[in-house]
Amino acid sequence: MRRFDLVIFDCDGVLVDSERLIVGLEAEIFRERGWPLTEDDIIREFVGLSDSAMRARLSELVGEELADDWDAEYTDRYRRTLAENVEAVAGVAAAIDIIERAGLATCVASSGSHHKMALTLGTTGLLSRFEGRIFSSTDPEVERGKPAPDLFLHAAARIGVAPDRCAVVEDSPFGLIAALDAGMSAFGFAGGVTPTHRLAIRGVTIFDSMTDLPPLVTST
Ligand SMILES: [Mg+2]
């Protein structure tokens, strides 16, 4: 019997190489606002979090209560940065092909909005592959974003697969913790912005390249 029936892909940093772009842009925006946060701080504190969780943590760090729409004035810069520069993560389309040919279901579960995923997955040609199987922490059924397990449990329930038959592919510690707390197997992609040692959470299988992923999740 196969070990898994469903592979749940995080979006940013796993399917598309967007984290690098967003971290750079956020460092720029924070500098403009006079907030002393480096790229390393941004990676450690925010990568993988939902917008609302990020806003709460950012409010704490800068000592200012930030409104829900504090970043509305930057929407265009985010959109342009992604639209002009985002690429698929190297080898991920081929990895998905192999995983699906082996008979496993796939879906996407992201802290980002559907709007953002339509942009990044659309630009990189991955959107149509996941039609109807894209889940966001902004979905009304998802009470708490990553690192809570809610989003992954929601995705698995909608696809109709039990948590212990799910493999989650993530590039952030917050996402990996969410997967483990959901009772799923967690695979940490170390080819992104987060240093490998921060992905080394007990129970997580770390891999460096998308070509290494299919054998990890399709083996029996
Ligand atoms: Mg990610």
Side-chain angles (χ1 to χ4, degrees):
M1 194 170 88
R2 272 199 310 262
R3 192 166 158 220
F4 303 113
D5 294 319
L6 171 64
V7 181
I8 303 176
F9 289 91
D10 171 46
C11 184
D12 295 296
V14 167
L15 294 176
V16 297
D17 193 14
S18 49
E19 299 290 20
R20 233 174 276 282
L21 303 170
I22 295 298
V23 166
L25 177 57
E26 277 170 356
E28 205 177 291
I29 289 171
F30 293 174
R31 247 194 325 272
E32 290 166 18
R33 293 187 79 120
W35 293 339
L37 293 165
T38 64
E39 292 202 3
D40 283 349
D41 296 332
I42 293 167
I43 291 167
R44 189 184 60 248
E45 297 288 348
F46 307 129
V47 165
L49 287 185
S50 64
D51 286 355
S52 58
M54 176 190 167
R55 178 171 40 79
R57 182 65 182 136
L58 183 57
S59 293
E60 274 174 29
L61 289 170
V62 302
E64 250 178 76
E65 196 48 53
L66 297 169
D68 273 2
D69 63 346
W70 76 272
D71 56 352
E73 62 184 288
Y74 308 116
T75 304
D76 255 13
R77 277 166 75 179
Y78 276 100
R79 195 190 45 74
R80 223 175 326 118
T81 298
L82 290 172
E84 289 170 9
N85 302 293
V86 74
E87 293 176 4
V89 166
V92 81
I96 297 164
D97 282 341
I98 296 168
I99 290 165
E100 290 180 344
R101 272 205 304 272
L104 282 74
T106 59
C107 71
V108 184
S110 172
S111 290
S113 66
H114 284 281
H115 189 75
K116 181 182 178 189
M117 285 188 272
L119 171 64
T120 58
L121 295 176
T123 303
T124 53
L126 295 168
L127 187 62
S128 58
R129 316 185 57 122
F130 293 106
E131 201 84 68
R133 307 190 317 282
I134 300 178
F135 306 97
S136 163
S137 66
T138 63
D139 290 349
E141 300 89 340
V142 180
E143 203 174 311
R144 303 164 302 165
K146 300 172 191 175
D150 305 26
L151 171 62
F152 291 138
L153 292 171
H154 163 60
R158 286 283 298 275
I159 304 288
V161 173
D164 66 346
R165 306 286 302 160
C166 295
V168 174
V169 186
E170 264 289 349
D171 68 316
S172 81
F174 294 126
L176 291 166
I177 289 164
L180 294 170
D181 284 353
M184 300 176 179
S185 294
F187 294 84
F189 174 53
V193 296
T194 300
T196 307
H197 72 268
R198 296 202 50 241
L199 303 176
I201 298 162
R202 203 152 72 95
V204 170
T205 303
I206 296 178
F207 67 103
D208 296 314
S209 159
M210 282 298 166
T211 53
D212 298 334
L213 179 65
L216 290 174
V217 295
T218 60
S219 62
T220 47

